[in-house]
Each structure stands twice: as C-alpha cells, then as structure tokens.
Amino acid sequence: MEALRRNYFELFSLPASFALDPPALESAWRALQGAVHPDRHAGAPESQRRLAMQLAAHVNEAVRTLRDPCRRAEYLCALNGVSVEAESNTSMPAAFLMQQMDWRERLEEARDAGDEVGLQALRVELGNERERLLEGLADAIDRRGEFVAAAGLVRQLMFVERFGQGIDSMDS
C-alpha cells in the first residue's frame, strides 16, 4: 500500500531528474513488476488480489510515464507544483508560433504535391527541434530547477510530437 503513495521516481529508487538511466529504470521495473504481478497472488484472498492489481497498474503507469521524456518532464513539473496546463494554456513564444505556421504550410504543400522529399525534410527538422526541446528541458529541470520554463517547453514538445505523428500517419 505504501508503494501507491510513492512518487514514480521513489517507486523505482531513481533520482527525480529529467536525465534518466533507461537500463536502471527497466531493471527496477522488472523487479517491481515481478513482485506485484497479479498472477503471483492468484490464490490470495480477493482483497489481496485487488491490491496486487492496483499495484501492478500503478507500476505500469509509472514506467510508461518515466520512459516517455515528455510525460516525464510533465510529471516532474507537477511534482514541483507547476501544471503544464496543456489543455488550457496555449501561449507559446512568438518565434515558435511562426515556426508552427511554417511547418503547417510546408506540410500542406508537400502533401498536396506528393512531395516525399519535402515530407522527409520536415521530419528531419522536427526531429532536430525535438532534440533541442529535450536539451532545453534537461537544462530547465536538472540544472536550473525552473519548472515554469520547463512547462512551456513541454507544451512545445507536445506540439512537435503530435505534428510529427500526423506526418507519420500520412504514410499509413
């Protein structure tokens, strides 16, 4: 039951930072998941089976959150009292908004023209922007502890990832 009250970093005995050691996370997750997996409690009373299912769900949600850099950054912001407000706060730096408009126009032109080279160039540019934002998050969270600034970067990263997924879905 105590595990349900721990934050995700505490749950896996990892430092609460944006930089993460993926093998350490996977190792901690496998060990914890093995201990709380509901199959291990199949013969236990109903209350213990229900608790095992809650723990397993909590552990799985924790690992999904920490594996994903965007969700991890959002979670770290929340742990430090800053909400990303992804649904209600659409404010972005003017330069980023201009970049969004450029990407949208280029996507529309490439899609209409069937320009695969143009789409690939856009994918590369988005990948570079994603890396820039991840570096910015590491700086804002781990080096400066500026979670309000990090929240703004998370919103930008959310846009970049959704936009990139939109391009990728055009292939399918």
Side-chain angles (χ1 to χ4, degrees), residues 1 3 5 19 21 47 58 60 64 73-74 77-78 80 85 87 89 92 102 127 129 131 133 155 172:
M1 194 65 130
R5 287 190 284 264
D21 180 357
S47 61
H58 183 65
N60 287 334
R64 280 192 296 270
E74 184 176 12
C77 286
N80 287 279
E85 300 176 330
E87 302 301 322
N89 185 344
M92 300 273 186
D102 178 62
E129 181 64 12
E131 289 304 313
L133 290 168
R155 288 191 299 274
S172 53

Side-chain angles (χ1 to χ4, degrees), residues 3 6-15 20 24-33 36 55-56 58-67:
R6 293 183 185 161
N7 76 45
Y8 296 163
F9 294 97
E10 293 169 344
L11 187 65
F12 295 121
S13 300
L14 296 171
L20 186 73
L25 173 62
E26 295 304 314
S27 176
W29 171 67
R30 289 183 197 288
L32 199 52
Q33 186 62 1
V36 301
L55 287 169
H58 183 65
V59 167
N60 287 334
E61 177 60 22
V63 78
R64 280 192 296 270
T65 298
L66 297 186
R67 280 180 183 154

Side-chain angles (χ1 to χ4, degrees), residues 49-103:
R49 288 193 314 243
R50 192 171 327 118
L51 179 59
M53 289 181 65
Q54 287 177 329
L55 287 169
H58 183 65
V59 167
N60 287 334
E61 177 60 22
V63 78
R64 280 192 296 270
T65 298
L66 297 186
R67 280 180 183 154
D68 181 321
C70 192
R71 291 180 67 185
R72 185 170 62 244
E74 184 176 12
Y75 185 70
L76 281 162
C77 286
L79 283 178
N80 287 279
V82 176
S83 172
V84 170
E85 300 176 330
E87 302 301 322
S88 61
N89 185 344
T90 57
S91 68
M92 300 273 186
F96 189 76
L97 291 173
M98 295 299 290
Q99 185 63 62
Q100 282 184 26
M101 289 174 46
D102 178 62
W103 286 333

